Amino acid sequence: MKAKRVFFLLFLFLLFMFGYSWQVYRAFPKRERLLSDKAYQGKLVFQKYHCIACHQLYGLGGFMGPDLTNVISRSGEAYVKTILQYGTARMPRLGLTQEEIEAVVAFLKAVDSSGRFPLKKDEYKIQWYGDYYLHY
Amino acid sequence: METTTSTTRTYRHFFIVALLCLSAGVWIGHLGLWSYLLPEHLKDILPFRMLRAMHVTLVVAWIFAAAIGGVYHYIQKETQGNYKPILLKIHLWGYVLLGGIILLSYFLNRYGGREYWAFPPPLAIGIAVLWLLFAWNTFKAAWNYKQEKCLLEWPLYLWMWATGILFFLYTFTEVYLWTLPFFGKTVLRDITVQWKAYGSLVGSWNMMVYGTALYLATRPEAFRSYACSKTAYALYLIGLANLIMGWAHHIYPVPTYQWIKTLAYFISMTELIVLGKLLWDWYRFPPRFQGPSPYRYYLIGGDIWVFLNLLLAIAISIPAVNLYAHGTHLVVAHSMGTTIGINTHILLASLFYISEPLLSEHQRRRSITFFYLFNIGLIIFWLGLIVAGFHESPLIGNPTTPHIKYLPQSNQWMWVVLIASIPIAIAITGITTILIKRLLNAVS
């Protein structure tokens, strides 16, 4: 009897876990846009050169280079293309092809339009219990 | 010399592989710090992206190999279940071969994966297959035990190992959901699912490591019943809830659904109960570094690092604090404190526990000396990262500040981190040398 109760609770737990996961998977926030084929290619190039080892998106990644979430609106496409082509004193010249550079820029433009990071003071609101929500 | 069977030889080989990975991982991490601080001179000779990928892979390989070897060893001891020696050998040599291929791919600048799992994605199939083999071996051995004892009477550590094994399979599959266009062709959904998978995956290996800690802590006869107590099960449920839903504290600034983040906030705060329980236990049984057993030192060391990291984890899980900590080295301090501070202490305790009968008095004393050296280095290393993070955080809120502007303030503390990594690497080399020598003697 006790075992049956435990297995029923286990079943409920699994149901909850998969239900929760499904809710997370299907989340499509209002700022979300599907990537174009070119931007998707750019994402794969971004992974191929392991850019996230040194850079961040939304503050997630390595801290050696700057966060790239809004690099397009902050520095402009031309600047990003130049860095990708030649590198900097701190960043190696990766040898990207022109096509790869265009694709990465398309990906970074898509990331740029998806949100803001770092947040400015007027882009979030702290709740009384310590949580905060974004309202940009 | 004790008689060793084929299976015990194999899991001792797992320990040797684990220790080699740890030692190499720590030294490569040290080199990575040089590359981080002097990229102008080292970016082509010692590329940071390669060293970081190698460091992460080796340290994760250490945690898994030591945990896997331990689980094999303890399950056999606990359940008297038998393994098929050939399956254990396939697991071991498959692990070594796959690890070698992954490191080679980094060396040849072949990436394609993501942060932490940077290797080309097809290699993940090998990891999944080996994990299935591990699951088969352990569950088959534990099945005999099940028939003798009701599942409900299992000591908690068996449940924790089972949870870790099953959740790894689930979360590792989630890690690769990005290969499907439904996830991969989005930005926010993909980041959300990626961090759901990463957070839970770390939780799954923590289940295996903390299960090992519980096993070791309940070896003295007086504490044995604790592994079946309601308190232990309640703490396990808190851990499980955090494993499933606590991950979203990593993505507070990502503009995804608010409920995911708020839920994670409240779930993360349940760790306050664990913190309270730890302090209560220390009040009742103050931890004492004494006696000739190195494993006790490392186990208590792990406990102290649990306390320090819980403080930091709870602080940065508060969204209003996370606003300033996210995207800084404070988060790195948390992950280093967890992997090197907690996991490594517990797994070294496990290895010392298993090797204790093989150690001479002189080796025990040296192991304890290395324990102190390791911890002196680690506390400076950890504090250095925290202070570096503090220097970065006021500027994180100011998007107009170029990254290069706050680097000098942060980097002066990263030099402290680099210097502190030297005693850590020396101590780890000393510890691994002692353990490997003994294990090699035992398997020969």
Side-chain angles (χ1 to χ4, degrees):
Chain A
M1 194 62 198
K2 200 175 170 190
K4 270 187 185 170
R5 212 182 313 153
V6 170
F7 280 114
F8 179 66
L9 286 174
L10 204 64
F11 171 73
L12 283 183
F13 163 74
L14 289 174
L15 204 67
F16 166 77
M17 197 190 76
F18 287 116
Y20 167 79
S21 295
W22 175 243
Q23 286 302 319
V24 174
Y25 298 158
R26 62 190 282 275
F28 199 83
K30 62 179 181 188
R31 296 188 70 96
E32 184 78 285
R33 302 282 178 275
L34 281 180
L35 293 179
S36 66
D37 287 344
K38 193 173 176 186
Y40 181 61
Q41 283 310 310
K43 182 179 179 173
L44 297 181
V45 174
F46 193 81
Q47 291 181 193
K48 180 180 159 193
Y49 289 94
H50 197 27
C51 305
I52 206 74
C54 303
H55 294 283
Q56 309 128 60
L57 296 175
Y58 286 101
L60 300 161
F63 300 127
M64 190 167 174
D67 187 286
L68 301 179
T69 313
N70 302 120
V71 68
I72 296 291
S73 54
R74 194 172 62 228
S75 308
E77 262 185 65
Y79 175 83
V80 173
K81 282 181 183 170
T82 309
I83 301 274
L84 283 170
Q85 190 160 6
Y86 300 107
T88 65
R90 295 174 58 81
M91 177 177 147
R93 187 180 177 153
L94 296 169
L96 276 78
T97 64
Q98 206 54 45
E99 197 184 338
E100 285 178 327
I101 290 174
E102 295 289 343
V104 172
V105 169
F107 170 59
L108 291 175
K109 274 164 88 172
V111 175
D112 192 30
S113 65
S114 72
R116 294 273 164 268
F117 189 82
L119 296 165
K120 289 185 202 153
K121 286 234 181 308
D122 58 351
E123 289 174 339
Y124 61 86
K125 187 165 181 251
I126 296 181
Q127 313 271 45
W128 62 268
Y129 54 88
D131 194 1
Y132 71 83
Y133 65 88
L134 310 170
H135 59 79
Y136 52 82
Chain B
M1 179 72 61
E2 65 168 357
T3 315
T4 53
T5 64
S6 176
T7 49
T8 52
R9 256 205 303 272
T10 307
Y11 53 66
R12 278 184 180 160
H13 278 127
F14 258 112
F15 297 142
I16 293 169
V17 170
L19 290 163
L20 289 172
C21 288
L22 173 65
S23 210
V26 170
W27 281 108
I28 288 180
H30 175 74
L31 280 182
L33 277 165
W34 283 103
S35 176
Y36 179 90
L37 286 162
L38 299 171
E40 298 86 352
H41 308 288
L42 299 173
K43 67 181 179 190
D44 296 318
I45 319 163
L46 293 171
F48 181 75
R49 64 186 173 137
M50 181 182 82
L51 292 174
R52 186 179 171 208
M54 285 183 168
H55 167 69
V56 170
T57 297
L58 284 163
V59 174
V60 171
W62 141 248
I63 293 171
F64 277 123
I68 288 169
V71 169
Y72 273 142
H73 175 81
Y74 298 129
I75 283 189
Q76 187 171 44
K77 238 177 140 181
E78 187 78 9
T79 67
Q80 311 299 322
N82 285 321
Y83 303 116
K84 277 204 168 148
I86 184 71
L87 292 182
L88 251 64
K89 277 186 184 153
I90 292 173
H91 187 188
L92 171 73
W93 295 113
Y95 193 89
V96 173
L97 180 72
L98 199 58
I101 296 172
I102 288 172
L103 291 176
L104 185 68
S105 75
Y106 295 152
F107 187 72
L108 298 173
N109 278 325
R110 296 262 186 270
Y111 304 99
R114 315 270 280 240
E115 195 182 10
Y116 308 125
W117 305 95
F119 47 80
L123 293 175
I125 297 168
I127 295 180
V129 169
L130 287 176
W131 198 268
L132 279 170
L133 182 61
F134 173 47
W136 169 260
N137 287 338
T138 46
F139 281 101
K140 195 164 173 290
W143 187 249
N144 298 327
Y145 188 68
K146 195 222 99 180
Q147 286 167 337
E148 283 170 28
K149 267 192 173 183
C150 170
L151 270 171
L152 303 175
E153 291 168 29
W154 273 20
L156 181 59
Y157 41 81
L158 285 178
W159 281 107
M160 292 174 84
W161 291 329
T163 309
I165 291 169
L166 293 177
F167 265 92
F168 177 84
L169 278 173
Y170 178 60
T171 53
F172 192 66
T173 310
E174 267 187 333
V175 168
Y176 285 90
L177 285 179
W178 67 267
T179 53
L180 305 173
F182 179 77
F183 298 96
K185 279 201 133 185
T186 58
V187 175
L188 301 175
R189 176 189 283 156
D190 187 28
I191 292 177
T192 305
V193 174
Q194 180 187 0
W195 284 90
K196 176 185 188 299
Y198 283 5
S200 301
L201 195 143
V202 170
S204 74
W205 87 49
N206 279 341
M207 273 286 174
M208 286 174 54
V209 175
Y210 295 159
T212 304
L214 180 65
Y215 179 86
L216 295 176
T218 53
R219 285 314 85 198
E221 200 58 46
F223 297 114
R224 204 152 284 200
S225 61
Y226 181 76
C228 299
S229 68
K230 283 183 180 164
T231 314
Y233 272 90
L235 292 173
Y236 161 76
L237 288 177
I238 291 175
L240 195 60
N242 274 279
L243 184 160
I244 297 169
M245 291 169 285
W247 57 273
H249 55 225
H250 295 290
I251 59 157
Y252 287 148
V254 179
T256 185
Y257 289 167
Q258 185 65 33
W259 70 266
I260 297 174
K261 298 186 265 185
T262 304
L263 183 61
Y265 170 35
F266 285 110
I267 292 288
S268 299
M269 289 306 110
T270 57
E271 290 190 329
L272 283 166
I273 299 169
V274 182
L275 190 69
K277 175 74 175 71
L278 187 66
L279 288 172
W280 174 244
D281 284 349
W282 281 356
Y283 171 72
R284 285 168 63 216
F285 309 105
R288 287 199 183 94
F289 291 107
Q290 59 183 29
S293 297
Y295 101 86
R296 290 189 170 278
Y297 285 73
Y298 287 88
L299 202 56
I300 295 172
D303 232 20
I304 292 170
W305 279 100
V306 167
F307 172 72
L308 292 173
N309 271 289
L310 265 177
L311 283 180
L312 187 61
I314 291 168
I316 61 181
S317 298
I318 299 168
V321 177
N322 184 279
L323 258 172
Y324 301 97
H326 184 86
T328 72
H329 277 97
L330 275 159
V331 180
V332 182
H334 170 52
S335 59
M336 292 289 171
T338 312
T339 47
I340 310 179
I342 303 172
N343 293 339
T344 297
H345 269 98
I346 293 172
L347 293 169
L348 284 174
S350 167
L351 266 66
F352 275 114
Y353 176 76
I354 291 165
S355 316
E356 196 147 274
L358 311 168
L359 294 175
S360 67
E361 189 54 40
H362 175 62
Q363 285 171 325
R364 286 174 196 219
R365 275 204 308 273
R366 274 179 55 203
S367 304
I368 292 168
T369 309
F370 283 132
F371 166 81
Y372 286 116
L373 181 65
F374 177 40
N375 274 280
I376 290 167
L378 192 53
I379 194 77
I380 299 170
F381 182 90
W382 189 72
L383 289 172
L385 285 168
I386 289 176
V387 181
F390 276 128
H391 277 285
E392 293 154 10
S393 66
L395 297 155
I396 282 293
N398 185 0
T400 53
T401 310
H403 171 257
I404 203 80
K405 282 265 186 210
Y406 63 75
L407 268 183
Q409 298 163 43
S410 155
N411 276 5
Q412 60 189 352
W413 288 97
M414 291 307 288
W415 278 106
V416 174
V417 171
L418 182 143
I419 292 163
S421 72
I422 297 170
I424 295 176
I426 292 171
I428 288 293
T429 309
I431 295 163
T432 52
T433 308
I434 292 170
L435 284 168
I436 288 174
K437 266 189 192 167
R438 297 319 303 166
L439 289 164
L440 277 176
N441 279 348
V443 293
S444 61

